[in-house]
Amino acid sequence: MQPAWGGPSTPGAPPAPAPFGPPNPNPYAQQPQPGPYGAYPPPGQPFGAPPHSMPPAGAPGGKRTAVIIGAAVAVLLAAGGGVWALAGSGGSSDRPQAHHSASPAPKESTGADSGGTAGPRDGGDDPNDGRRDGEAKVLVNQNGPQVERAGSAEPGVWVFGDYVVKTVQEKVIAYSTSDGKEKWTIALPKRVCAAPANVTDDGKVVVAYDSGEKDSCGNYAMLDLKEGKKGWDKPIPKSGGFAESFIGLDMALSGNAVGAAWFGGSGMVRVSDGEPIPTPGLESGCSVDGFAGGKAMLRSWQCVSDSTSHIEKLDTSTGKPVWTYDGRKGLMTKKIYSTEPAVVSLLSEDKKSGGVIALKDGKERSVIDLGKESYAPTCGMSIMGHDLGGCQGVAATDSTLYLPTGGENSYSEGNEIHAFDLDSGKRKWASKKTKPELMPIRAEGDKVFAYQRPSYDKPGVVVSIGPDGEPKTVLQAPQATLQAENRFFGAKYLYEGDRLVIATTRLSGSSSEGGEEKMLLVLGKG
């Protein structure tokens, strides 16, 4: 029998009775206080559409959606009476993991226009001129093109060998980190509208592009990043759902499989040839929440009859479930922070209860005890809520989950990163409070790597943090890139092979602060 979960009642009313004692106080529910980047919605406003507020002048990252978890809504831990809290929603991911291989052979550029001449000099003087001791080298520095639609999504970026590959409207362009130059371009019939975070071990990826109908993301194309060529190109197979369209499509890749969910449908195909992979059928009244990829492929689904999400690990060859977690009554999957180990954020339909759990073989490994603290993974918005793996600012190893604290003043006052034991759910250690704030971007061994955002006058930095809690600099952005770091309308951050990649996820269609809007910035040692 599943233990009951309690939660706070309507804001302003006394707490609802709970079997193990009263819930944690909820100060934010009484008086919503959006932070500098926007935060959780006030009572009555749906999650997934948080209020936007502009960051302070010069603040990093453009329009960022920070989803505060912890103090915002608390419920009782099912066993032991401890307190835990709701997890991020709203629609930036588990840490995107690029697969490394030998550098692909250079190819001649097809002359795509990505906002200026290729290489570090794109858009201005070479930022490596006058580089100071200890500063990183600028490997790629690319401005964004002008776009017809303000807020145009640019969903894909991957690191493969010596290349950083970026989607740019209807093109996919590879830039070499050895000389900053464009090496090849793959042209697609229309704009890339969805892309997974991962590529296969041999450098293949599947993207979706517009079908020509309004807001319909209806075609797949396989891209070989090693060769710089397009492979198969097919319409996305429909799954027969009611009023099915490809609006709001989001994708995930694991092994030789790509899973996608959209308004009214979902499905998996093989990366190698685009052929469908059968997935378990659902009863009438049930639908797929979405997929999350990486080391494993997880699929979440729910039925309207009980508003409870079920999570499956799927075999990427056969589509059959390896295990199934049947969920907690009335709680739905909002985000999947990691697929292997499986760490999932759950939330009730009324947004009043939820939490973060770790799973193993379809059973609850632990409930993460977040206590009274607020946590703020950075999640991009997904139109239909299918982008389950779309959070940054959260990282995990087999034994540890890392979450950043956050709140109203986290940019100005700084924050901490907390490490949680995935077997017990208890906090193991906390980093030293650091300002500007820290964002986890990769975890390995007993350390987490984090990006410390730039301040008004100092560029960003990548730090490593271990159990002693002391941030140690591993890559210092040069002073010359301070403005570039701040000229992303929306950004994705990767730290791969001692290279920091900052790539736009969305172009505003206008210049920023009198300069060109940035599309891609890659920093490394050298």
Side-chain angles (χ1 to χ4, degrees):
M1 178 178 177
Q2 288 185 334
W5 288 21
S9 58
T10 303
F20 299 102
N24 191 40
N26 183 4
Y28 295 104
Q30 305 294 330
Q31 186 176 358
Q33 303 175 34
Y37 302 106
Y40 55 89
Q45 180 169 346
F47 265 66
H52 289 291
S53 58
M54 293 299 293
K63 291 184 179 179
R64 167 177 167 246
T65 304
V67 181
I68 296 180
I69 62 179
V73 178
V75 296
L76 294 183
L77 211 162
V83 174
W84 68 297
L86 84 90
S89 134
S92 33
S93 60
D94 297 342
R95 179 185 67 84
Q97 300 173 2
H99 298 276
H100 297 284
S101 180
S103 298
K107 294 192 67 173
E108 291 299 319
S109 167
T110 59
D113 178 9
S114 58
T117 56
R121 291 184 180 275
D122 176 20
D125 295 334
D126 188 344
N128 289 314
D129 290 344
R131 186 161 58 107
R132 304 171 185 176
D133 289 344
E135 290 185 340
K137 182 179 180 180
V138 178
L139 305 178
V140 181
N141 179 29
Q142 288 288 325
N143 292 334
Q146 288 296 312
V147 293
E148 293 181 2
R149 284 197 302 185
S152 176
E154 308 293 337
V157 61
W158 308 278
V159 178
F160 183 71
D162 180 45
Y163 289 178
V164 176
V165 183
K166 182 76 187 83
T167 62
V168 188
Q169 294 290 281
E170 74 281 2
K171 300 167 184 173
V172 181
I173 306 175
Y175 298 96
S176 171
T177 56
S178 60
D179 60 15
K181 294 182 180 180
E182 179 186 321
K183 293 302 179 181
W184 53 254
T185 296
I186 300 172
L188 294 168
K190 291 189 178 294
R191 179 185 66 94
V192 176
C193 46
N198 306 91
V199 301
T200 65
D201 289 329
D202 60 351
K204 293 181 175 64
V205 69
V206 176
V207 300
Y209 66 89
D210 284 342
S211 63
E213 301 175 16
K214 183 176 175 58
D215 297 322
S216 182
C217 195
N219 294 286
Y220 280 152
M222 188 272 278
L223 311 178
D224 187 328
L225 306 187
K226 186 174 182 180
E227 299 296 332
K229 295 179 180 179
K230 184 176 76 167
W232 55 263
D233 188 332
K234 301 179 180 182
I236 299 175
K238 286 199 171 186
S239 58
F242 175 73
E244 183 174 13
S245 76
F246 295 113
I247 296 173
L249 183 143
D250 284 299
M251 304 173 67
L253 184 150
S254 180
N256 189 35
V258 164
W262 52 86
F263 180 73
S266 66
M268 286 203 312
V269 300
R270 289 197 296 258
V271 175
S272 56
D273 57 14
E275 290 300 304
I277 300 172
T279 54
L282 301 177
E283 296 178 2
S284 177
C286 303
S287 62
V288 172
D289 301 318
F291 293 80
K295 293 181 180 179
M297 181 71 81
L298 300 188
R299 184 182 82 154
S300 176
W301 57 274
Q302 62 173 292
C303 301
V304 294
S305 58
D306 61 1
S307 298
T308 299
S309 283
H310 307 259
I311 298 170
E312 299 167 319
K313 178 180 178 180
L314 299 180
D315 184 305
T316 55
S317 298
T318 66
K320 295 180 179 179
V322 177
W323 52 254
T324 300
Y325 169 68
D326 282 327
R328 297 241 187 177
K329 182 73 172 176
L331 294 181
M332 298 172 288
T333 304
K334 298 308 295 180
K335 290 294 173 182
I336 295 177
Y337 290 154
S338 172
T339 60
E340 191 66 52
V343 183
V344 181
S345 153
L346 302 174
L347 186 66
S348 64
E349 189 172 12
D350 61 9
K351 317 295 189 289
K352 295 177 182 178
S353 60
V356 179
I357 60 171
L359 303 175
K360 187 172 183 179
D361 298 328
K363 297 179 174 60
E364 291 186 9
R365 178 179 177 183
S366 66
V367 175
I368 306 303
D369 187 358
L370 302 176
K372 299 180 181 181
E373 187 63 77
S374 293
Y375 295 89
T378 305
C379 301
M381 278 192 284
S382 176
I383 295 174
M384 298 293 174
H386 298 304
D387 187 15
L388 296 185
C391 285
Q392 297 187 97
V394 57
T397 65
D398 289 342
S399 62
T400 309
L401 172 70
Y402 298 94
L403 285 172
T405 63
E408 179 187 5
N409 300 314
S410 60
Y411 174 74
S412 59
E413 296 180 0
N415 73 338
E416 303 170 359
I417 293 176
H418 292 179
F420 294 89
D421 187 295
L422 288 177
D423 287 325
S424 67
K426 301 296 184 182
R427 194 175 84 180
K428 298 198 293 186
W429 53 263
S431 74
K432 176 183 176 182
K433 190 171 186 178
T434 304
K435 64 179 181 180
E437 61 189 334
L438 296 166
M439 181 178 73
I441 51 178
R442 190 175 96 199
E444 60 182 40
D446 63 351
K447 295 180 181 178
V448 61
F449 293 92
Y451 176 63
Q452 183 180 357
R453 299 179 180 277
S455 65
Y456 295 100
D457 58 352
K458 294 182 181 179
V461 60
V462 177
V463 299
S464 69
I465 310 171
D468 63 0
E470 189 70 33
K472 300 175 178 63
T473 297
V474 295
L475 191 72
Q476 173 65 62
Q479 190 70 31
T481 64
L482 174 59
Q483 287 189 342
E485 289 182 86
N486 291 330
R487 283 181 176 164
F488 288 87
F489 183 62
K492 189 170 190 174
Y493 299 84
L494 307 177
Y495 184 61
E496 297 285 348
D498 295 328
R499 292 169 293 189
L500 173 66
V501 177
I502 308 176
T504 189
T505 56
R506 198 169 291 276
L507 290 169
S508 68
S510 62
S511 60
S512 172
E513 298 178 8
E516 293 293 330
E517 186 176 1
K518 282 296 167 186
M519 182 185 75
L520 182 63
L521 181 66
V522 183
L523 308 176
K525 296 181 178 179

